[in-house]
Amino acid sequence: MPVRQPSFTRPGPPRFSRRRLLAAAAGSSAFALPGISLAQSSVVDVEPPTHTLTAAAGQAPLFAPDFAQTDVWAYEGTVPGPVLRVRKDAELSVRLVNRLDQPTTVHWHGVRIQNDMDGVANLTQAPVAAGASFDYRFRVPDAGTYWYHPHFRSYEQLARGLYGVLIVEEDQPPQVDRDLALVFDDWRADDSGNIHEQSFGAMMDWSHAGRLGNVLTVNGLSYPEIPVRSGERLRLRLLNTANARVMPLQIPNHPVYLVALDGQPVAPRELSEGKIVLAPGQRADVFVDMSNAPGTETSVLMSHREGEVQAALLAYSDEPPLRPEPLPAPEALPANGIAAPQRDAQALDVELRMQGGAMGRMASARFKGREMGMRELVAQGMVWALNGTAGRPEQPLLDVQRGRTVVVRMVNEGRWPHAMHFHGHHVTVVERNGNPVEGTEWRDTVMLEGEDVVSVAFVADNPGKWMLHCHMLEHQAAGMGTWFRVQA
Ligand code: C2O
Ligand code: CU
């Protein structure tokens, strides 16, 4: 693979940063301000039994108003694609229609799904050819915030706009005034307002942090305006769909309660200064009380190495506060009933060494069944490895009886952060850099800083072949992906 230098590599603040009204792209009709009563959230509409997701080239106003439209690939013509909303335990039925000029699939990120619906090209299904379609049909066992995206050439297909939100409603949705998904993505734009195409596949990105962008969007718009009313409580579902950017987000000057991570409820806690870090693929559900005065404004912020970006604007209407007193701190969402790992003699321990990358110590790795030196690996587009193998190995990392507890000790041997994503299961961190971690917080994507050693535990109770890979999509493409098997 030729080494191509992108025309810029240092992402800065967005160059086009004007307010846009956040409207239908949020996939929610909830932007009209609600009545006075504390309504049960959402579940407004009766979903038709079948959705269609047509993946096709299209246009989206990502960088408007500076550039009216940008060429993208989109589901159903919008970036993000449509918000799919279903009830917990319901069956979701979606037809993928591929109008791209290359194969694709749909992966349902974070859903403890039946294996043959997981959407991993060449592991759980054949890629869906250009012009073909594929029917996904599965039960969604867990309430929470999930998302969908291709699992074929992910580094390109996501960067061009293919992703969307999947919301699974609790049986008894918590009381909030409105429920909004906010999808954060960064884009690498060129000077003509198009996606920088020459840098797809650039080894410079693949061997470093991945493809970082220079424009931030929320629900497909640069610096959108979110109309709010004083006194209301919002449930915000925050998602990081960027290829590679770790996003430190902040909702300043408001009470922000964390209630779920990666779809799974946590004991509610108020976030210090309203800050939370989301690695690529991760989600957080927060309840935010609109505690400021009518007519005021607050920007949601994302920080990066050189400063802060205004991501979205919370714009208060002039209406009087919705209620006289602030609401009490929220209660926990109902747990989804994930089996607790048992770290006894039956538990299976496995080590996952994360190797390679620029300035790494990796001298060689196995690829396509053969040991190759770095130079040869790079020529193959490979710069990362897991346990000495670049790319998905023929043999799984582990092959485990159903129901057994697995403890994976992940050792980041390099200095780059990674976001390790487990398919079909949620895991809980049990140890971080030698320190035991108390309590259970389920995640499907676990971030490691450079040199971190993090152990996670889970019950391997979902039969099938499951990917385990870095969700920095360039790292995945350049070798950082393996798989494990849970026997039926
Ligand atoms: Cu969100 Cu294997 O991916
Ligand atoms: Cu990575």
Side-chain angles (χ1 to χ4, degrees):
M1 187 165 305
V3 177
R4 274 164 291 178
Q5 194 77 26
S7 64
F8 50 84
T9 53
R10 279 162 60 90
R15 293 170 299 165
F16 331 118
S17 156
R18 298 211 195 113
R19 247 183 250 177
R20 314 279 329 289
L21 201 64
L22 182 56
S28 168
S29 53
F31 283 89
L33 290 174
I36 290 293
S37 70
L38 184 63
Q40 291 264 305
S41 77
S42 57
V43 201
V44 196
D45 29 42
V46 180
E47 292 291 340
T50 300
H51 302 268
T52 300
L53 288 179
T54 302
Q59 295 203 308
L62 301 174
F63 315 137
D66 300 74
F67 298 96
Q69 297 287 347
T70 295
D71 292 331
V72 295
W73 294 354
Y75 290 120
E76 295 296 300
T78 67
V79 178
V83 174
L84 304 181
R85 233 179 222 276
V86 283
R87 274 300 178 108
K88 174 173 155 58
D89 291 320
E91 182 147 287
L92 183 61
S93 166
V94 178
R95 170 163 295 177
L96 165 68
V97 178
N98 183 7
R99 297 240 166 84
L100 305 171
D101 60 9
Q102 59 177 247
T104 191
T105 62
V106 178
H107 167 60
W108 308 90
H109 182 123
V111 177
R112 295 190 298 143
I113 199 170
Q114 82 187 51
N115 189 246
D116 59 351
M117 295 287 114
D118 198 41
V120 178
N122 302 315
L123 184 70
T124 66
Q125 69 169 97
V128 180
S133 68
F134 187 89
D135 288 343
Y136 292 94
R137 197 178 189 95
F138 53 91
R139 193 179 71 86
V140 283
D142 299 332
T145 303
Y146 304 96
W147 61 301
Y148 57 90
H149 63 74
H151 223 290
F152 182 86
R153 287 178 71 86
S154 309
Y155 68 92
E156 178 184 11
Q157 295 192 2
L158 276 84
R160 289 187 184 273
L162 289 170
Y163 55 77
V165 180
L166 169 62
I167 292 174
V168 184
E169 295 282 353
E170 292 83 11
D171 289 329
Q172 307 246 304
Q175 294 203 314
V176 292
D177 296 301
R178 288 188 296 150
D179 180 344
L180 304 178
L182 297 183
V183 183
F184 294 76
D185 193 5
D186 74 339
W187 303 80
R188 189 177 290 179
D190 65 20
D191 291 330
S192 64
N194 278 304
I195 291 170
H196 194 269
E197 296 186 323
Q198 296 75 24
S199 53
F200 281 125
M203 270 299 146
M204 187 67 184
D205 295 327
W206 288 31
S207 61
H208 290 71
R211 180 184 178 91
L212 299 174
N214 55 350
V215 184
L216 182 72
T217 62
V218 175
N219 294 358
L221 300 170
S222 330
Y223 197 36
E225 178 176 328
I226 304 169
V228 299
R229 177 170 178 183
S230 184
E232 65 174 342
R233 170 170 283 178
L234 304 185
R235 177 183 189 161
L236 297 182
R237 301 169 185 267
L238 311 175
L239 299 91
N240 180 349
T241 64
N243 275 38
R245 182 181 290 282
V246 176
M247 296 190 184
L249 301 175
Q250 183 182 19
I251 304 173
N253 310 318
H254 286 76
V256 180
Y257 301 98
L258 179 69
V259 295
L261 289 169
D262 293 355
Q264 304 298 341
V266 298
R269 56 177 179 266
E270 190 170 347
L271 295 174
S272 161
E273 298 178 67
K275 286 183 176 172
I276 187 156
V277 176
L278 292 183
Q282 292 184 327
R283 291 88 65 212
D285 285 40
V286 295
F287 287 1
V288 189
D289 289 335
M290 294 297 115
S291 53
N292 291 354
T296 61
E297 299 181 334
T298 301
S299 283
V300 177
L301 304 172
M302 186 199 74
S303 49
H304 57 96
R305 248 194 318 203
E306 288 130 48
E308 268 166 355
V309 173
Q310 294 177 313
L313 185 80
L314 300 171
Y316 281 72
S317 71
D318 293 327
E319 291 166 283
L322 183 61
R323 51 179 62 84
E325 298 290 334
L327 292 167
E331 287 167 22
L333 298 172
N336 283 315
I338 298 178
Q342 305 296 328
R343 297 187 68 190
D344 52 21
Q346 305 305 310
L348 203 65
D349 286 286
V350 47
E351 189 163 80
L352 187 70
R353 283 170 294 115
M354 302 155 60
Q355 302 151 325
M359 298 166 286
R361 297 185 293 270
M362 187 166 87
S364 71
R366 271 186 92 71
F367 182 60
K368 292 188 173 158
R370 196 158 62 74
E371 194 71 17
M372 297 184 190
M374 250 346 244
R375 182 182 288 268
E376 194 179 358
L377 286 170
V378 170
Q380 301 271 351
M382 292 289 132
V383 276
W384 302 92
L386 295 171
N387 289 357
T389 298
R392 199 157 66 212
E394 270 166 38
Q395 292 304 313
L397 172 72
L398 65 143
D399 197 346
V400 61
Q401 282 165 287
R402 184 177 188 177
R404 270 181 88 173
T405 289
V406 177
V407 180
V408 184
R409 182 169 182 266
M410 301 186 285
V411 181
N412 186 0
E413 296 186 352
R415 59 178 68 176
W416 300 96
H418 298 290
M420 299 305 291
H421 173 45
F422 291 72
H423 282 217
H425 298 78
H426 277 67
V427 304
T428 183
V429 173
V430 293
E431 195 177 296
R432 199 175 266 280
N433 299 324
N435 303 311
V437 174
E438 298 303 325
T440 300
E441 279 188 359
W442 298 112
R443 302 220 66 145
D444 57 53
T445 306
V446 177
M447 174 150 149
L448 290 87
E449 300 285 357
E451 318 285 334
D452 269 1
V453 179
V454 175
S455 295
V456 300
F458 66 102
V459 178
D461 56 3
N462 196 359
K465 300 171 172 181
W466 303 106
M467 282 288 287
L468 164 51
H469 64 87
C470 182
H471 218 285
M472 286 147 176
L473 301 174
E474 291 71 27
H475 295 175
Q476 178 191 1
M480 220 170 185
T482 185
W483 63 291
F484 61 99
R485 176 164 33 216
V486 181
Q487 289 153 23

